[in-house]
Amino acid sequence: MNQDLGAWIDRQWQASAAGLLLSVSPRLSKSRPGFAQTIKARAGAIVASPVLASYDPEPDYFFHWYRDSALVVDALRLLRSDEDLRATVETAFGDFVRFSLDLSDLDGGVLADSVAWRNAVKPEFVQYLRTAEELREIKGPAVSADTRVNPDGTLDVSRWARPQHDGPALRALALLRWLDEGGQDEATISLAATLLLADLKFVERFCLTPCFDIWEERLGLHYYTLRVAAAALEGGSAWLGLRGDDEAAAVGRQSAQAVLSRLDQFWREAGGYYSSRSHPDGRLNDNDLDIAVLLACLHADNPGARHGLLDPKLQSTFERLVGLFAAEYPINRGHGEAPAMGRYANDRYFSGGPYFFSTLGAAQFCYRRAALDRDRHWFERGDLFLKMVRHHTPDDHSMSEQFDRITGAPRSARHLAWSYAAFLTCTEARRGTPYTT
């Protein structure tokens, strides 16, 4: 074991745990005067970043995204191993479940009919508001497809990329893992089961319906969304079977197989990779080679299934991504085997550079392969990716969303909860290999 790297991992683990918890039930309020709002976070909300920014220059990430919050609450499980954090984490999980259940009562019609609030919005911000007609449609299942809510449990009033369907699937997967580990009180178990049933119903209903992608940029059918949906349906079917609901379990299994069959069509023989999105005419775009495909496999966490870690086509996709980013970013010169990883070619968001969670995802992929194959080369390659992360992590151990493609300086949102979650899950995968002590 690389002792120097191991010592850094230990320090960064503590810092990442603390950083993650900054976004969980944050005792923060944010004023958005342009929208005539003051948002005070409730217990159970998980914000994407606790930094109160307003695109000045960091983005405003003071929202409870369904996707991000599910990934964070999943990583929270790993903090239960720390005796000093266990009680805090258990409370946080229960609060998250209750907050999530309360969201099902939202009705956008109430907000749409609030004339006094709409009249208080500053004129220059009206162009960014959702229409009353759109808001009236947000009730029932549409709430779970609404991408994000305010951390006080109210609807986001701004125009955004909607609908999105990955959040309920990811939340279902996190709930399944928490319930499988056990240790919660009976009241929390009952509420978590209620939330899980609702999420599974949503996923089964909308799994093959077009939506916006993980990056909230394109409408259609997407590899990431379909892959985590299939995993949620598979895991949910097993859970339903244990509860004696054989009919619902059978329906879930059939739906999962239908989704996996649809994913087979995302393979691009000419490019040697799984496309991140479907094109009816079979054409290829430069940004179809996307780290989202790799993240889908990791977040689904079902290595033996179709489209799992051992899929040779997924390995080919991984190598194509490595080659893409090795050539794309100046900071990767001399690091061709384990470069800093971004999202897709010609990304233009902030620096368009590497992401912490992308590079950590590549390391996690290698560690998972090392555990499955018992191949030390995969482990050593994972360490190379992790060393790249270490090199670009500031001395205070804070993790932003990106680091600059040229200078390596932090970019976009500071203290991104997803970055900390990715570090925790990556290093947990490292500990699961036979090459650490």
Side-chain angles (χ1 to χ4, degrees):
M1 174 178 171
N2 186 322
Q3 295 296 329
D4 179 54
L5 181 63
W8 176 78
I9 289 172
D10 290 343
R11 295 191 299 272
Q12 187 62 46
W13 194 95
Q14 294 293 334
S16 294
L20 189 78
L21 290 171
L22 289 175
S23 287
V24 178
S25 299
R27 296 181 178 180
L28 295 170
S29 295
K30 178 175 175 59
S31 176
R32 295 191 177 106
F35 290 115
Q37 287 185 323
T38 297
I39 307 298
K40 183 178 181 180
R42 280 176 47 194
I46 297 177
V47 295
S49 168
V51 178
L52 301 180
S54 299
Y55 292 91
D56 51 0
E58 289 93 355
D60 180 358
Y61 279 6
F62 195 66
F63 292 95
H64 176 99
W65 262 273
Y66 291 127
R67 175 183 51 256
D68 294 48
S69 64
L71 295 171
V72 169
V73 84
D74 193 32
L76 274 178
R77 289 182 302 111
L78 307 180
L79 303 187
R80 300 168 85 192
S81 62
D82 188 324
E83 290 288 344
D84 294 333
L85 296 177
R86 181 174 296 172
T88 297
V89 168
E90 294 286 355
T91 298
F93 175 68
D95 288 341
F96 170 81
V97 170
R98 285 183 284 274
F99 178 87
S100 299
L101 282 171
D102 287 347
L103 297 177
S104 63
D105 294 329
L106 287 173
D107 184 343
V110 176
L111 189 59
D113 295 333
S114 178
V115 177
W117 161 73
R118 193 172 286 272
N119 288 340
V121 174
K122 291 185 177 180
E124 61 270 28
F125 280 79
V126 171
Q127 62 183 315
Y128 304 116
L129 283 182
R130 305 170 76 171
T131 65
E133 291 73 21
E134 179 188 349
L135 284 169
R136 288 192 183 96
E137 295 177 357
I138 309 305
K139 56 185 176 181
V143 173
S144 294
D146 209 42
T147 306
R148 66 186 191 182
V149 295
N150 290 315
D152 62 356
T154 61
L155 288 173
D156 172 25
V157 300
S158 59
R159 294 181 180 177
W160 205 252
R162 302 178 177 93
Q164 288 184 46
H165 298 159
D166 53 8
L170 290 167
R171 189 167 62 189
L173 287 168
L175 292 168
L176 285 165
R177 293 163 190 155
W178 272 88
L179 292 173
D180 182 61
E181 287 189 2
Q184 301 85 37
D185 60 79
E186 289 299 322
T188 299
I189 291 173
S190 177
L191 291 173
T194 299
L195 180 60
L196 176 55
L197 285 168
D199 283 342
L200 292 174
K201 183 177 180 180
F202 177 95
V203 175
E204 197 279 327
R205 178 177 175 182
F206 294 104
C207 58
L208 290 172
T209 303
C211 64
F212 277 89
D213 67 326
I214 181 177
W215 311 132
E216 304 172 359
E217 295 173 345
R218 304 174 186 91
L219 182 66
L221 290 178
H222 307 284
Y223 189 100
Y224 180 90
T225 308
L226 294 177
R227 184 65 192 92
V228 296
L233 290 168
E234 288 177 316
S237 295
W239 179 76
L240 289 165
L242 291 174
R243 289 166 59 93
D245 195 342
D246 295 335
E247 182 178 352
V251 171
R253 284 193 295 271
Q254 292 171 357
S255 296
Q257 290 307 306
V259 174
L260 289 171
S261 295
R262 185 67 182 83
L263 279 177
D264 293 340
Q265 300 173 31
F266 283 68
W267 174 247
R268 300 292 181 253
E269 187 67 40
Y273 61 86
Y274 282 120
S275 172
S276 64
R277 56 180 172 155
S278 171
H279 295 292
D281 58 6
R283 62 188 172 87
L284 294 178
N285 286 350
D286 288 343
N287 54 14
D288 287 346
L289 180 59
D290 190 321
I291 198 70
V293 172
L294 189 70
L295 296 177
C297 175
L298 297 173
H299 296 164
D301 195 20
N302 194 349
R306 293 161 62 187
H307 295 271
L309 279 159
L310 298 178
D311 182 346
K313 293 178 180 178
L314 187 69
Q315 182 175 338
S316 177
T317 303
F318 170 74
E319 297 296 353
R320 287 297 312 278
L321 285 163
V322 168
L324 165 67
F325 295 119
E328 180 95 351
Y329 302 144
I331 61 172
N332 284 334
R333 294 190 184 116
H335 300 280
E337 189 179 12
M341 306 285 277
R343 298 193 300 177
Y344 49 77
N346 303 313
D347 192 355
R348 293 292 179 265
Y349 187 65
F350 279 80
S351 78
Y355 282 66
F356 277 100
F357 59 68
S358 295
T359 311
L360 288 162
Q364 184 178 348
F365 178 83
C366 293
Y367 294 138
R368 295 297 308 279
R369 286 299 303 264
L372 291 168
D373 298 346
R374 303 190 72 82
D375 183 340
R376 190 175 185 88
H377 170 72
W378 279 113
F379 175 80
E380 292 172 349
R381 194 172 183 187
D383 274 1
L384 291 176
F385 280 109
L386 200 53
K387 288 175 181 177
M388 177 66 77
V389 171
R390 178 183 63 178
H391 181 70
H392 293 290
T393 300
D395 291 341
D396 66 359
H397 299 282
S398 64
M399 286 183 165
S400 56
E401 185 171 36
Q402 297 181 22
F403 43 103
D404 192 272
R405 61 167 63 204
I406 297 173
T407 67
R411 289 290 182 266
S412 190
R414 290 177 289 145
H415 290 296
L416 189 79
W418 187 352
S419 295
Y420 293 127
F423 179 84
L424 295 172
T425 55
C426 173
T427 51
E428 177 72 9
R430 188 179 191 270
R431 284 190 288 271
T433 71
Y435 308 109
T436 56
T437 57

